[in-house]
Amino acid sequence: MNMTHYMSLLADNQPWNLIIFMAIPVICAEALTISEFFILFNKSKSGTLRTFNKIIGVFDGLYFTGIFVYLFATAVIPLTSTGGWHGLIDVLAVGFYLSGVIFLLPISLMELGIIFKNKTTDEKMKLHFILIGGFLVVAHIAMIFGMVNPELISNMSDMSTMPGM
């Protein structure tokens, strides 16, 4: 079966690409989500769990921003300029994956006090929850499209490997 570039990236250089590009950002996002539930349920404004949540939020947002920059430069630009995409499914898988930066970077910036400075603690908690939920949605959509055979809607006779990997 032919693969999207998303799945090819995760399958190459085992287990490192899987850990770097999937496990670390998604496990951090899940830890963030679980701690977020406890923070919201207990209405915690401070404490160990809130500190853990803040550290994970800053780390995951900055880490995923690094992934975004790296893959945009080494994969998206070369694939786009050479016509190397494996059709719409491939573009959707990679696009949804990389769109995670739209949700994770603001979490980091908010936790670092760079954006949303004038929001109340409750407003920030609500934004935090919406943003992490948004990341989980786009990450799962990327996984779904990433697992689909791109030949379902396009011909991959000229399939090439992912540049930069």
Side-chain angles (χ1 to χ4, degrees), residues 12 16 43 46 49 69 84 92 94 118 125 132-134 136 138 141:
D12 288 346
W16 303 112
K43 297 179 174 98
S46 62
L49 191 58
V69 170
L92 289 172
V94 174
N118 298 326
M125 287 172 66
I132 194 61
L136 290 173
V138 298
I141 291 171

Side-chain angles (χ1 to χ4, degrees), residues 28-157:
C28 285
E30 290 169 349
L32 199 57
T33 303
I34 292 165
S35 64
E36 198 83 15
F37 279 125
F38 282 104
I39 289 167
L40 291 171
F41 181 75
N42 294 322
K43 297 179 174 98
S44 302
K45 307 277 193 235
S46 62
T48 306
L49 191 58
R50 180 62 188 112
T51 301
F52 169 80
N53 184 275
K54 182 176 184 161
I55 291 168
I56 293 292
V58 170
F59 171 79
D60 205 20
L62 296 178
Y63 182 85
F64 198 81
T65 300
I67 287 174
F68 174 85
V69 170
Y70 173 75
L71 290 178
F72 198 82
T74 62
V76 173
I77 292 172
L79 287 170
T80 303
S81 64
T82 63
W85 291 105
H86 301 161
L88 180 61
I89 290 172
D90 193 23
V91 172
L92 289 172
V94 174
F96 272 102
Y97 176 73
L98 292 178
S99 72
V101 76
I102 295 167
F103 301 100
L104 289 181
L105 181 57
I107 290 173
S108 289
L109 298 177
M110 181 171 45
E111 293 293 5
L112 292 170
I114 297 170
I115 61 173
F116 306 131
K117 294 178 193 177
N118 298 326
K119 299 279 186 196
T120 67
T121 303
D122 287 342
E123 289 171 329
K124 287 180 184 178
M125 287 172 66
K126 183 177 180 179
L127 279 168
H128 208 274
F129 195 78
I130 290 168
L131 290 167
I132 194 61
F135 172 77
L136 290 173
V137 168
V138 298
H140 284 87
I141 291 171
M143 285 184 236
I144 292 165
F145 278 112
M147 289 185 258
V148 173
N149 181 349
E151 283 189 323
L152 286 176
I153 63 170
S154 65
N155 181 6
M156 288 177 49
S157 59

